[in-house]
Amino acid sequence: MSTHSAINDAVTNRIEQTEAPTCDQHHTVDLENLQTVRTQTLSVEKAQRMAEFFSLLGDANRLRLLSVLARKEQCVCDLAEILQMSESAVSHQLRSLRALRLVSYRKQGRKVYYQLLDRHVLDLYHAVAEHLDETENSD
């Protein structure tokens, strides 16, 4: 069983064991509340773009790349060595991350150096890592 399958099974089991509270009886609809919440809800288009973004981050190698780049700018050959991957595999993953505007690069001679594109990416990485650490410590 792959790690991805094991995680999916664990999440599914947790969801199945948790009952979601529901309204026991019908109630009058608060139209003002509904309108306010409706205007603050993600549009279908933005939700789709966010889903694609998170789907792309659903790859362990891409996350490992981000974990390295969260600390310091690196050239492709050093990334390959650090992550014990081929340079072509690293380049392939970086291409996907570049397409989502998560990383940028600069050329210095024959070397290409990659870095996280902006603070948002770093903040997202740290927030997820911190959340997972909290979850692991609370079990």
Side-chain angles (χ1 to χ4, degrees):
M1 176 182 284
S2 72
T3 304
H4 186 68
S5 297
I7 292 170
N8 281 342
D9 290 346
V11 170
T12 301
N13 288 339
R14 245 189 196 165
I15 290 171
E16 289 172 352
Q17 293 171 2
T18 305
E19 284 191 40
T22 60
C23 294
D24 290 333
Q25 53 188 309
H26 293 288
H27 57 86
T28 306
V29 174
D30 181 349
L31 293 176
E32 185 177 323
N33 176 54
L34 288 179
Q35 188 59 32
T36 301
V37 172
R38 191 173 281 145
T39 61
Q40 296 170 353
T41 302
L42 283 175
S43 69
V44 172
E45 295 81 16
K46 188 167 187 176
Q48 181 61 42
R49 287 183 19 230
M50 289 177 74
E52 290 169 3
F53 175 89
F54 284 112
S55 174
L56 190 65
L57 289 181
D59 180 275
N61 286 324
R62 290 184 196 127
L63 291 173
R64 292 178 68 223
L65 275 166
L66 290 177
S67 76
V68 173
L69 296 175
R71 291 171 189 10
K72 184 181 175 197
E73 170 187 75
Q74 298 287 338
C75 69
V76 174
C77 54
D78 287 347
L79 285 167
E81 186 64 31
I82 291 165
L83 298 172
Q84 298 180 331
M85 296 170 61
S86 70
E87 286 187 35
S88 64
V90 168
S91 292
H92 174 75
Q93 298 297 347
L94 288 167
R95 203 171 16 260
S96 298
L97 293 171
R98 238 183 35 237
L100 271 182
R101 298 185 340 238
L102 294 178
V103 298
S104 62
Y105 69 94
R106 69 177 177 83
K107 291 184 177 182
Q108 184 175 339
R110 296 182 63 132
K111 289 188 174 185
V112 179
Y113 289 87
Y114 280 84
Q115 62 195 359
L116 294 182
L117 186 59
D118 62 25
R119 185 85 190 152
H120 295 106
V121 177
L122 186 59
D123 291 345
L124 177 63
Y125 170 81
H126 285 301
V128 171
E130 183 179 314
H131 173 73
L132 292 175
D133 289 343
E134 289 172 359
T135 303
E136 288 174 3
N137 293 334
S138 67
D139 286 345

